[in-house]
Amino acid sequence: MRKSSCLEIDLNLLEENFFKLKKITPNNFILPMVKANAYGNGIKEITFTLVVKCGVRKIGVATLGEAIEVLSFDFIPKEDFEIIVFSDSHLDDSSSHHYYQDSRLVPVIHRISDLEIFFSSHHFIHTSLNLKLNTGMNRLGVNFEELEPFLERIKNRGIDHLMTHFANSYSILKPNDRTHKQYDYFRDYHRQLKKIGVEIKNTSVSNSGAIEQNFGLDENFVRPGLMLYGPYSSSASNWNGSQISKLKTKILKTFMAKKGTPLGYGVNVLGEDSFVIVLALGYGDGILTFMSGVEIQIHGHKGRIFGRINMDMLYVIFDPDVEGEFKENQIVEIWDHDNKKIVNISEQMRTHPYQVMTAISQRVPKIYLSK
Ligand SMILES: *Cc1c(COP(=O)(O)O)cnc(C)c1O
């Protein structure tokens, strides 16, 4: 653990984001995704806020292990609550099946071998059927044609939640693009299933990128992850959420250095006279090495992350006239509640805020603010 750096997470902002999201999805139920430690923000505190403060009744994780952890939180309601395991559900492993006897744990059936187990193992008799269809992302999801031998059993059981996942919803949506095609397939499959008499209670297609563009909101559920934590996916988005975290760190050292001075490991030579600060964050804290070269605004001053990112430290360089604006031991912020900052940093790194947020490591303590 460190004391000089921290991820400060404002749970009030998460609540605000949730209700902002509710405004743009007034007719939908929200099934928030809290996989990967709630996108790096801490699964317990985030789930507490979503369940207790925001009143959600279904929550999504990626793995059975995450679901078991969520189920262990004492604030999880005893009934009318579902933890949905989206990908790594362990249905192939019969020694895991007993977990699903708690009907609050629900696997998403996304391949035929799991559908066979779902119908043949007695552990799933009371489990609701959540079925994911492949509509063109070609990752998980059952192909519609593969359902044929199961249709009678599906009809008898009914589908609690029919879903698909978009491959491209983060880009600006245009008529006839891949996302529209996926959605057309989904609606067609939905119609066909209903026509043969399958009862379907709930449906969902939209993750953050789609929701931000008001796409797929005719389905009764939406499945946001990223946007709840702050960042927007698409430049076409009108999402005005706040980044719920601030990444704070301490200045370990400041100095002036002449053009031509090598800084740190390797031979990274200053191209200009610079004011240099050394920060208490490195790849050991989950700062990805390709953050090197990124321009950042620190307290209104434009700087650049310079040279190699070390395990425990990194350099930021500024114009010489910034000297005096920063002092040793001062606390500074790499990103703050303005969601444009983390998106801008991620874009310069040629990645996305998902990776930047989930990379932050255990060594960085999480500090929670809530009213
Ligand atoms: C992670 C995930 C989401 C949420 O995606 P965001 O882009 O973070 O909103 C929705 N649906 C599925 C199936 C997912 O795996």
Side-chain angles (χ1 to χ4, degrees):
M1 266 298 193
R2 279 196 186 268
K3 271 193 74 169
S4 302
S5 300
C6 74
L7 196 63
E8 184 183 280
I9 296 158
D10 188 339
L11 296 171
N12 303 312
L13 290 177
L14 174 64
E15 205 177 324
E16 254 180 57
N17 286 350
F18 183 89
F19 289 106
K20 278 181 188 168
L21 170 60
K22 200 67 214 124
K23 275 213 176 108
I24 56 178
T25 58
N27 303 318
N28 307 86
F29 294 107
I30 297 176
L31 190 174
M33 302 300 292
V34 295
K35 60 197 181 196
N37 201 22
Y39 292 46
N41 292 286
I43 193 164
K44 186 167 189 183
E45 291 78 4
I46 296 297
T47 302
F48 177 84
T49 304
L50 291 169
V51 173
V52 178
K53 306 278 178 156
C54 306
V56 309
R57 280 296 172 268
K58 290 186 200 249
I59 204 153
V61 294
T63 72
L64 177 59
E66 291 171 336
I68 293 168
E69 184 182 357
V70 171
L71 195 61
S72 77
F73 301 149
D74 53 10
F75 53 80
I76 294 297
K78 296 280 175 276
E79 46 202 49
D80 287 332
F81 193 84
E82 283 183 357
I83 303 161
I84 302 181
V85 184
F86 273 80
S87 49
D88 189 8
S89 57
H90 292 229
L91 293 206
D92 60 302
D93 168 15
S94 58
S95 70
S96 292
H97 290 177
H98 70 277
Y99 289 113
Y100 290 105
Q101 280 186 306
D102 187 318
S103 59
R104 290 173 295 173
L105 279 197
V106 181
V108 169
I109 306 297
H110 56 69
R111 56 183 188 182
I112 286 295
S113 58
D114 285 350
L115 191 57
E116 271 161 3
I117 292 161
F118 184 83
F119 282 128
S120 60
S121 163
H122 68 278
H123 290 104
F124 298 98
I125 289 173
H126 301 293
T127 308
S128 63
L129 177 54
N130 280 231
L131 185 64
K132 187 193 258 180
L133 296 176
N134 177 28
T135 54
M137 177 166 182
N138 303 319
R139 184 178 63 176
L140 301 178
V142 175
N143 294 323
F144 189 66
E145 307 75 54
E146 296 177 296
L147 289 177
E148 178 70 44
F150 297 91
L151 288 177
E152 265 319 298
R153 277 173 287 175
I154 290 175
K155 210 161 119 178
N156 289 336
R157 183 72 80 95
I159 295 175
D160 185 70
H161 199 142
L162 185 72
M163 62 182 80
T164 194
H165 192 51
F166 293 135
N168 275 75
S169 67
Y170 57 86
S171 38
I172 300 174
L173 297 178
K174 298 194 186 72
N176 288 319
D177 66 6
R178 190 169 167 201
T179 309
H180 282 80
K181 289 206 179 95
Q182 281 195 262
Y183 195 28
D184 288 346
Y185 278 122
F186 181 79
R187 288 213 276 209
D188 182 41
Y189 298 153
H190 184 189
R191 254 193 309 273
Q192 291 193 49
L193 286 168
K194 274 179 54 184
K195 210 160 114 194
I196 58 168
V198 178
E199 201 187 316
I200 299 170
K201 272 207 207 119
N202 304 299
T203 54
S204 67
V205 295
S206 301
N207 67 337
S208 298
I211 298 166
E212 286 166 31
Q213 301 184 71
N214 301 314
F215 192 77
L217 304 188
D218 290 339
E219 312 308 317
N220 72 331
F221 269 87
V222 290
R223 306 189 309 261
L226 189 70
M227 66 193 300
L228 283 172
Y229 306 108
Y232 48 90
S233 305
S234 158
S235 52
S237 157
N238 50 9
W239 176 236
N240 63 347
S242 307
Q243 179 67 20
I244 67 168
S245 65
K246 278 183 177 178
L247 180 59
K248 291 181 160 183
T249 186
K250 192 157 135 181
I251 299 176
L252 295 178
K253 195 175 175 206
T254 66
F255 55 94
M256 291 293 295
K258 288 271 174 237
K259 176 178 172 173
T261 306
L263 287 193
Y265 289 120
V267 273
N268 295 290
V269 169
L270 286 174
E272 303 293 337
D273 293 356
S274 302
F275 174 62
V276 181
I277 66 178
V278 181
L279 296 181
L281 277 176
Y283 59 78
D285 304 291
I287 301 299
L288 301 163
T289 53
F290 46 104
M291 205 173 208
S292 178
V294 163
E295 275 191 4
I296 52 171
Q297 290 277 341
I298 302 187
H299 299 185
H301 300 288
K302 193 167 86 180
R304 185 154 60 87
I305 298 178
F306 186 85
R308 289 214 199 162
I309 294 190
N310 299 181
M311 186 182 285
D312 311 304
M313 284 166 274
L314 59 78
Y315 294 100
V316 184
I317 59 169
F318 297 89
D319 284 345
D321 60 8
V322 176
E323 188 186 15
E325 301 288 340
F326 293 106
K327 292 185 189 59
E328 289 176 356
N329 301 321
Q330 186 181 344
I331 301 296
V332 294
E333 293 162 4
I334 302 294
W335 69 68
D336 58 22
H337 296 317
D338 176 359
N339 63 359
K340 288 194 253 348
K341 286 225 172 113
I342 188 164
V343 173
N344 177 269
I345 289 171
S346 310
E347 280 173 353
Q348 291 184 66
M349 293 166 74
R350 296 176 169 271
T351 182
H352 34 61
Y354 300 84
Q355 192 187 20
V356 175
M357 294 188 326
T358 54
I360 299 301
S361 79
Q362 287 283 350
R363 186 165 72 178
V364 180
K366 295 183 183 68
I367 312 261
Y368 293 95
L369 308 179
S370 66
K371 20 177 209 278

